[in-house]
C-alpha cells in the first residue's frame, strides 16, 4: 500500500513558501534591478530638454559606425549643425523661449533625416547627425534639406503673424576607410571646422569637404549650382527644396 503524498503549502507562484522565499524573491529582485538599470541607462543617453540622444550616445554610436566603415569600406557621414545667432534669441525673448526653439529645431532635424540616420544634441545650440554608410553627395542632400526646413519653420508661433524665424549653418564631412583610424575626435573636428567655415561665409548655408572646393573660395551662387546638380542627378524635374523628408 502506497503512502499518501503530502502536499507542501504553496505560494502564488506555485512553489512552496520556503522555496519561493529562497528563489522567487531574489529572481524578482534581479529583474526589478535589471529594469531600473536599463531605465537609468536610457535616461543617461537622452537629452532631457530636446528628448533626443545626447553627446554620450553620439560618442558610442559614432565609434560603432567608424568601426563599421573599417570593416565594410563604406563611408560614414557627419553633419554638424549650429543655430545662427542663438544668443540674440535668448537676449531678445528670454531663455525659456530659447529652450522652446531648441526643442522645435530638434524635431525639425529629426523629421528631415532618413530612417537610418540619427540626430544628437551635441551641446548648447549645436546638433550632430550621423549618416551610416553614406557617400558625401547624399549627405549634402540631407544637410541642405535640414537647412531649408529650419529656414522655413516658424518657431514659437504665437499667432498667425508673430513667430521667430531661425536659420542654421551646417558642416558636412565623411569618414572614409583611409581616415577612419583617426577616431571620434578627428571625425567631429573635421565637420565642425566646415561648420565654422559656413558661419564665416555668411551663415544659413551648408559647407562640405570636396577636392573641388577645399582649396578655393566658392561663392554661395556656385554652391547653389553644385547643389542643384546633385539633386537633378536623381530628380531631374525636382528642385532641392521639394525633396521628400523620407528621401534616401
Amino acid at each position: 500500500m502506497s503512502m499518501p503524498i503530502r502536499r507542501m503549502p504553496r505560494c502564488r507562484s506555485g512553489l512552496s513558501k520556503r522555496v519561493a522565499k529562497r528563489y522567487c524573491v531574489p529572481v524578482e529582485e534581479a529583474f526589478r534591478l535589471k529594469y531600473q538599470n536599463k531605465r537609468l541607462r536610457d535616461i543617461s543617453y537622452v537629452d532631457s530638454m530636446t528628448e533626443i540622444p545626447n553627446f554620450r550616445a553620439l560618442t558610442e554610436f559614432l565609434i560603432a559606425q567608424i568601426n563599421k566603415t573599417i570593416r565594410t569600406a563604406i563611408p560614414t557621414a557627419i553633419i554638424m549643425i549650429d543655430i545662427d545667432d542663438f544668443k540674440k534669441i535668448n537676449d531678445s525673448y528670454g531663455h525659456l523661449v530659447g529652450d522652446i526653439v531648441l526643442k522645435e529645431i530638434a524635431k525639425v532635424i529629426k523629421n528631415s533625416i532618413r530612417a537610418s540616420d540619427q540626430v544628437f544634441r551635441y551641446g548648447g545650440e549645436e546638433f550632430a547627425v550621423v549618416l551610416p554608410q553614406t557617400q558625401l553627395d547624399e549627405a549634402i542632400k540631407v544637410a541642405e534639406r535640414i537647412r531649408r526646413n529650419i529656414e522655413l519653420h516658424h518657431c514659437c508661433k504665437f499667432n498667425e503673424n508673430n513667430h521667430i524665424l531661425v536659420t542654421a549653418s551646417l558642416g558636412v564631412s565623411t569618414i572614409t576607410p583611409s581616415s577612419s583610424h583617426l577616431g571620434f575626435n578627428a571625425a567631429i573636428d573635421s565637420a565642425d571646422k566646415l561648420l565654422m567655415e559656413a558661419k564665416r561665409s555668411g551663415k544659413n548655408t551648408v559647407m562640405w569637404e570636396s577636392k573641388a572646393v577645399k582649396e578655393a573660395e566658392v561663392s554661395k551662387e556656385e554652391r547653389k549650382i553644385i547643389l542643384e546638380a546633385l539633386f537633378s542627378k536623381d530628380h531631374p524635374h525636382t528642385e532641392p527644396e521639394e525633396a521628400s523628408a523620407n528621401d534616401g
Side-chain angles (χ1 to χ4, degrees), residues 79-191:
I79 303 172
M80 296 299 292
I81 307 161
D82 189 86
I83 300 174
D84 295 330
D85 302 315
F86 186 71
K87 185 178 184 301
K88 290 183 180 178
I89 296 174
N90 279 334
D91 293 343
S92 300
Y93 300 97
H95 289 275
L96 290 178
V97 172
D99 291 348
I100 295 172
V101 170
L102 288 173
K103 292 176 185 178
E104 291 191 21
I105 295 303
K107 289 180 181 178
V108 171
I109 297 171
K110 191 174 182 179
N111 292 333
S112 302
I113 60 179
R114 307 166 304 177
S116 57
D117 306 331
Q118 182 63 63
V119 58
F120 303 86
R121 173 107 183 266
Y122 187 76
E125 65 271 23
E126 197 167 358
F127 299 87
V129 176
V130 178
L131 303 86
Q133 298 184 308
T134 301
Q135 301 288 343
L136 179 61
D137 58 349
E138 189 63 33
I140 294 169
K141 293 179 187 179
V142 176
E144 179 59 24
R145 185 162 62 236
I146 293 170
R147 186 204 65 77
R148 184 168 283 108
N149 288 346
I150 290 174
E151 183 182 27
L152 296 175
H153 181 70
H154 294 172
C155 285
C156 304
K157 195 170 182 179
F158 308 110
N159 55 54
E160 200 63 33
N161 300 313
N162 192 4
H163 53 263
I164 300 173
L165 293 178
V166 176
T167 63
S169 299
L170 301 87
V172 186
S173 180
T174 53
I175 306 164
T176 62
S178 61
S179 65
S180 56
H181 68 283
L182 298 175
F184 173 85
N185 290 332
I188 291 292
D189 187 56
S190 176

Side-chain angles (χ1 to χ4, degrees), residues 50-94:
T50 59
E51 297 181 348
I52 62 173
N54 59 17
F55 180 81
R56 182 178 181 182
L58 168 64
T59 304
E60 292 194 7
F61 187 80
L62 183 54
I63 289 173
Q65 296 310 313
I66 291 173
N67 290 333
K68 187 177 290 186
T69 292
I70 294 171
R71 294 195 308 270
T72 64
I74 302 174
T76 296
I78 306 173
I79 303 172
M80 296 299 292
I81 307 161
D82 189 86
I83 300 174
D84 295 330
D85 302 315
F86 186 71
K87 185 178 184 301
K88 290 183 180 178
I89 296 174
N90 279 334
D91 293 343
S92 300
Y93 300 97

Side-chain angles (χ1 to χ4, degrees), residues 15 122 241:
L15 299 173
Y122 187 76
E241 58 266 24

Side-chain angles (χ1 to χ4, degrees), residues 18 188 196 225:
R18 188 169 67 177
I188 291 292
M196 292 300 103
I225 293 171

